[in-house]
Amino acid sequence: MSHKLDISVVVPLYNEEESLPELVAWIDRVCLAEHLSYEVILVDDGSNDGSWGVIETLKTRYPAIRAIRFARNYGKSGALYCGFAVARGEVVFTMDADLQDSPDEIPEMRRMILDEGYDLVSGWKKRRFDPIGKRWPSKFFNFTARLVSGIKLHDFNCGLKAYRRRVVKAVEVFGEGRQGMGGLFGKEKDENY
Ligand code: UDP
Ligand code: MG
């Protein structure tokens, strides 16, 4: 099946006005260099800083931007869920807005999905800049998540992931019955893309 768009990058964000211009410019640079057609789906999870204003300015400069704005803060997973629902790319990435994830990884992760047949490729924060108080709980979480799920992922919590399109669309169907999510698609969300 051929898709018009090579990739979607879904970015959940909450009060990230400072990092958004650099993040979007960086994604754009990588996609241009690799001749990838792309969209960046910025999901503003009810920010109360100037993030939405920054997004509106960026939209005039980068036609690849689509933006969704929540009326209040729902949390990262709600933002991802809505981003997945509208994503049109053949490979769908998720990436944090705070520049902890590098867009330079996009081409190789895409290649692993398309050429090596993976459904999901996950990033992994190899060098952590977080304080030790955050690193040890994170190690414990990852250990437990591996044990319970049987999935051998090094870093479950890494924001950088690449999914084959049909995987995120399956997540969408699966998530539809979840409590609270219906509201996101109904009245409470202010969409603008
Ligand atoms: N985020 C969000 N809603 C929230 C909290 C965070 O959309 O209520 C976004 C945040 O802006 C960032 C990503 O989710 O793009 C990861 O958040 P954070 O950096 O706080 O998580 P950590 O790096 O500690 O896992
Ligand atoms: Mg972070």
Side-chain angles (χ1 to χ4, degrees):
M1 212 197 328
S2 72
H3 291 279
K4 275 208 213 104
L5 272 185
D6 292 321
I7 66 166
S8 300
V9 184
V10 177
V11 182
L13 64 109
Y14 181 64
N15 295 345
E16 302 279 6
E17 60 181 1
E18 278 171 25
S19 52
L20 286 173
E22 169 59 21
L23 180 75
V24 171
W26 193 354
I27 295 170
D28 184 65
R29 227 163 36 234
V30 170
C31 291
L32 279 180
E34 298 285 326
H35 307 289
L36 295 173
S37 58
Y38 77 102
E39 62 182 0
V40 182
I41 302 170
L42 299 174
V43 189
D44 183 344
D45 184 18
S47 296
N48 48 35
D49 69 349
S51 291
W52 187 251
V54 171
I55 290 170
E56 284 183 322
T57 308
L58 288 169
K59 258 170 82 93
T60 63
R61 182 147 170 225
Y62 298 95
I65 292 181
R66 300 167 73 199
I68 297 172
R69 185 184 197 183
F70 291 172
R72 66 167 172 84
N73 181 239
Y74 283 88
K76 180 179 171 178
S77 57
L80 286 176
Y81 180 84
C82 284
F84 284 169
V86 301
R88 296 173 301 189
E90 183 182 22
V91 178
V92 179
F93 286 81
T94 60
M95 194 177 289
D96 288 352
D98 55 7
L99 298 168
Q100 279 190 331
D101 304 323
S102 167
D104 289 341
E105 309 295 334
I106 287 175
E108 174 62 11
M109 290 173 81
R110 174 174 176 267
R111 196 193 60 72
M112 289 175 77
I113 299 273
L114 295 182
D115 299 348
E116 292 185 31
Y118 290 103
D119 285 327
L120 162 66
V121 177
S122 177
W124 159 21
K125 289 190 216 88
K126 212 161 178 184
R127 290 178 61 204
R128 293 205 62 138
F129 300 104
D130 294 328
I132 194 136
K134 217 167 165 180
R135 285 203 303 266
W136 281 105
S138 161
K139 273 188 198 301
F140 178 71
F141 171 80
N142 279 305
F143 172 77
T144 312
R146 274 194 293 274
L147 207 67
V148 172
S149 70
I151 299 172
K152 307 246 168 324
L153 265 187
H154 195 91
D155 185 358
F156 280 84
N157 195 35
C158 183
L160 179 62
K161 292 192 167 52
Y163 301 82
R164 188 178 293 281
R165 182 192 163 77
R166 69 173 152 75
V167 175
V168 298
K169 294 304 171 181
V171 170
E172 180 193 334
V173 172
F174 181 72
E176 232 150 37
R178 276 213 221 134
Q179 225 188 351
M181 285 295 157
L184 280 175
F185 277 98
K187 300 158 278 307
E188 295 175 73
K189 189 185 58 163
D190 173 19
E191 262 181 50
N192 178 7
Y193 58 84

